[in-house]
Amino acid sequence: MHRSLVEDFACISMASSSGRSESRRHGATSHSLSTTIPAIPSTSSNASLPPSPGAGTRRHVLSHINDIFKCTICFGRLEDPHLCPQCSKLYCYDCIGEWLDSGSSQSCPNCKITLQLEQLVKVRWFDDIQKLQQNLHTLSACDAEEEKQAERPPTGKGTENELCPMHGRVVNFYCSTCNQCICEVCATDVIEGRHRDHTFKTLHVTYEQHLSVLENELEKVEHYRDKLSLLQNKIERNVTLIGRVKSMKHKELEAIMLSAMESLDRQEEEKLMKLHAHQHSLLGQIDEIDQKLQTMRCEMMLCSKPQLIQMKPKIFAVCNAIRMNPIKDFKQIRLPARLKIEIPNLYETGVFVVHNFSTFDDNKVVYSNEFSDCFGRTWRIMAWCVIAEDHFGIYLELVNGTPCWMECTFQLIHYHPEKTISKTIRQYFDRTPQKGWGLRDFVTLKTILEEEYLQVNDSLELLYNIRPCSPTAEPSGVLDADESLSEQ
């Protein structure tokens, strides 16, 4: 058995050596990246290179080796091979170990001789055989590629570019000295000697190198393009957020207009009620005087002349009593025809983006940029992640200014507007950190992750809407999302 293996190895070596020698006689092999080819005479300018004579032999020997080096038990590739000292059959060490340890048989599976595990002989030259197999695989693959390229039919415009314009032969070399693709006649022509002492590479090797470089460059361009696309997506999202804030401001303006109109109606009603009261009082006095005048005129018409003379003091007394009631000056009654437009405190509205949310640790705190309200106070939003309690909190903090009552609405934005979480608080804020912080349990972390509140860039978008208010102020209702009012 050992003598047969030696003969096989000798055959393999001869075939490989023959192939390499033949390749050297005709220029450069496909396995060398760079080779200097000396100029050698050629019998004919149209002579072609014969195919490698060792290609078929290598494939035949490689197939034969694959059949030889198989485990007789698992019929797979040998792993840590050991052989029987009697029949020299090869087995995987684990396979023959399981065979002997199974208890059903304590003999060689092939020759049936009684066998113990420690009697097996380790095949120490197997690593060399594996390296030889790998070399044969490489040679066979290169030969197959060369045969495939040689047998490719010369059709189409692309094939014309693969023919040497001087000799009409297939271009299969690359002169790195001239940076030119040439055929084997160009490489071996000693008469003209255009490429004498130049350095050549096989065309397919050079092609693979150039292709790899170009693919790398294209990948860089694709990476650059991906960055542009990401920037474009961020701009689109920014446009969307600005549109959302504008929509909220439109609603705020509508609410301000409605409030101003209601204030105008209220002011008008108050003034008209006072003027109408004065009008009602004057009309009553006028009616009473008219009745008295009518009564006195009737009495004067019906009485005789002596009676009229007798009635004169009485009529004078009634007239004097009527005139004795003072008439109010119009300046006391007049109300200024002036109405004031009462505009409520304006909201400060913006979006606080919490970046890299997935990297947050327990008790992670992130602050927004500072901003001012309509009275010049400075504020900032704080997001606080409490992983241990499954809480994500949102807080408002007074940075600078006098303490006051504030109405605060926070929204956690979702791509689907109906899933947006909105909560409102009214609270007294001062500069003591323990007071006026907001909503500790705004939303659970589980909800954020499972309900897909995270944006594609691993960020949360928090919209805030705050303004000063009075302790008894009612929520303005500017935001139309689901609101849950929390008083602390």
Side-chain angles (χ1 to χ4, degrees):
M1 179 64 179
H2 183 65
R3 187 165 52 252
S4 176
L5 290 175
V6 173
E7 292 174 355
D8 288 337
F9 299 156
C11 180
I12 294 169
S13 177
M14 291 174 62
S16 178
S17 175
S18 174
R20 288 193 294 270
S21 299
E22 187 67 24
S23 298
R24 282 197 296 269
R25 284 197 299 272
H26 293 280
T29 68
S30 61
H31 315 297
S32 61
L33 295 180
S34 178
T35 307
T36 301
I37 302 180
I40 58 175
S42 61
T43 58
S44 174
S45 60
N46 295 326
S48 61
L49 292 176
S52 174
T57 305
R58 281 195 295 270
R59 284 193 291 269
H60 174 73
V61 173
L62 182 60
S63 176
H64 187 49
I65 290 177
N66 291 335
D67 292 336
I68 293 174
F69 294 104
K70 286 184 179 180
C71 175
T72 311
I73 297 176
C74 67
F75 298 102
R77 185 181 181 85
L78 284 170
E79 298 291 342
D80 189 14
H82 284 62
L83 57 81
C84 173
Q86 176 68 23
C87 64
S88 298
K89 274 295 181 179
L90 297 173
Y91 306 103
C92 297
Y93 185 75
D94 291 340
C95 293
I96 189 62
E98 292 181 4
W99 174 276
L100 298 176
D101 291 340
S102 63
S104 58
S105 175
Q106 294 291 329
S107 61
C108 173
N110 181 57
C111 64
K112 307 303 180 181
I113 188 175
T114 302
L115 185 62
Q116 299 295 328
L117 188 62
E118 56 272 12
Q119 294 176 330
L120 295 170
V121 179
K122 180 176 178 61
V123 183
R124 303 188 182 279
W125 40 260
F126 185 72
D127 291 340
D128 296 332
I129 299 300
Q130 283 188 316
K131 292 179 181 178
L132 181 59
Q133 275 188 291
Q134 292 175 357
N135 293 336
L136 287 174
H137 273 296
T138 304
L139 291 172
S140 297
C142 293
D143 289 336
E145 180 65 23
E146 289 179 351
E147 292 176 2
K148 182 178 180 181
Q149 292 182 359
E151 295 173 0
R152 188 174 298 164
T155 58
K157 183 177 179 181
T159 306
E160 294 178 0
N161 295 332
E162 296 178 0
L163 298 179
C164 177
M166 295 183 60
H167 306 104
R169 303 301 302 274
V170 175
V171 173
N172 51 10
F173 290 101
Y174 175 77
C175 177
S176 57
T177 306
C178 301
N179 294 327
Q180 181 182 2
C181 296
I182 60 175
C183 67
E184 70 272 11
V185 178
C186 294
T188 58
D189 188 359
V190 296
I191 297 176
E192 297 183 0
R194 289 190 179 90
H195 301 280
R196 182 181 294 121
D197 298 327
H198 287 189
T199 301
F200 304 100
K201 298 179 182 179
T202 55
L203 182 61
H204 79 275
V205 171
T206 305
Y207 169 79
E208 293 295 336
Q209 291 175 344
H210 283 69
L211 180 62
S212 176
V213 172
L214 292 175
E215 288 291 345
N216 186 42
E217 288 299 311
L218 294 178
E219 288 179 1
K220 292 179 181 178
V221 174
E222 289 179 353
H223 182 64
Y224 177 79
R225 187 260 182 199
D226 291 341
K227 287 185 176 181
L228 293 179
S229 179
L230 179 61
L231 179 59
Q232 191 266 345
N233 292 336
K234 290 181 178 180
I235 293 175
E236 283 188 357
R237 189 58 187 167
N238 198 357
V239 170
T240 301
L241 292 177
I242 291 174
R244 183 156 189 160
V245 172
K246 177 185 176 182
S247 176
M248 292 185 60
K249 285 300 183 182
H250 278 173
K251 293 178 181 179
E252 183 180 350
L253 287 176
E254 292 173 0
I256 290 173
M257 180 64 71
L258 180 61
S259 176
M261 292 297 295
E262 291 176 350
S263 174
L264 291 176
D265 292 341
R266 183 176 63 256
Q267 294 176 58
E268 179 192 27
E269 184 179 359
E270 291 175 354
K271 293 187 175 184
L272 291 181
M273 286 180 63
K274 293 179 180 180
L275 292 175
H276 288 161
H278 289 299
Q279 279 184 324
H280 182 72
S281 176
L282 291 175
L283 289 175
Q285 292 179 20
I286 293 172
D287 288 342
E288 184 179 355
I289 292 173
D290 288 341
Q291 290 178 3
K292 290 181 179 181
L293 286 174
Q294 184 178 3
T295 300
M296 288 186 293
R297 291 185 184 280
C298 288
E299 291 177 351
M300 289 171 60
M301 290 176 61
L302 297 176
C303 66
S304 62
K305 293 179 180 179
Q307 290 176 337
L308 178 62
I309 294 172
Q310 294 293 326
M311 290 176 59
K312 178 182 175 182
K314 179 181 177 182
I315 293 174
F316 264 79
V318 173
C319 291
N320 288 333
I322 292 174
R323 292 195 306 270
M324 288 299 293
N325 285 330
I327 297 176
K328 293 182 178 180
D329 189 356
F330 179 64
K331 293 181 180 181
Q332 298 175 351
I333 300 174
R334 178 182 176 274
L335 294 177
R338 182 179 67 250
L339 300 177
K340 180 181 179 180
I341 297 179
E342 297 177 352
I343 299 178
N345 296 328
L346 299 177
Y347 284 97
E348 177 63 27
T349 306
V351 176
F352 172 31
V353 179
V354 181
H355 296 284
N356 302 321
F357 179 78
S358 298
T359 63
F360 275 22
D361 298 326
D362 200 10
N363 290 321
K364 174 77 172 182
V365 176
V366 179
Y367 290 97
S368 71
N369 294 329
E370 296 180 359
F371 56 90
S372 300
D373 62 15
C374 55
F375 291 101
R377 301 181 184 90
T378 305
W379 305 84
R380 65 180 178 179
I381 309 295
M382 187 189 83
W384 186 15
C385 185
V386 186
I387 298 176
E389 300 180 9
D390 193 26
H391 283 167
F392 179 77
I394 304 176
Y395 310 90
L396 179 65
E397 184 176 350
L398 178 62
V399 179
N400 188 23
T402 58
C404 66
W405 280 85
M406 294 291 289
E407 178 183 322
C408 316
T409 299
F410 301 109
Q411 285 189 352
L412 180 58
I413 298 176
H414 196 280
Y415 279 113
H416 301 291
E418 66 275 7
K419 299 185 71 173
T420 296
I421 299 176
S422 178
K423 294 185 179 182
T424 301
I425 61 170
R426 291 191 309 275
Q427 191 168 334
Y428 184 77
F429 286 79
D430 58 23
R431 298 182 65 182
T432 304
Q434 289 77 14
K435 295 183 179 180
W437 280 54
L439 299 164
R440 176 181 174 84
D441 55 350
F442 182 80
V443 67
T444 64
L445 300 176
K446 181 179 180 182
T447 300
I448 292 176
L449 298 176
E450 293 184 354
E451 299 297 328
E452 300 179 349
Y453 284 91
L454 278 178
Q455 306 297 320
V456 293
N457 59 349
D458 192 28
S459 66
L460 293 178
E461 296 173 345
L462 300 169
L463 189 147
Y464 57 86
N465 210 46
I466 72 169
R467 69 171 180 179
C469 67
S470 62
T472 57
E474 292 295 328
S476 62
V478 173
L479 301 178
D480 60 354
D482 295 334
E483 294 187 356
S484 60
L485 185 61
S486 173
E487 300 248 14
Q488 297 184 358

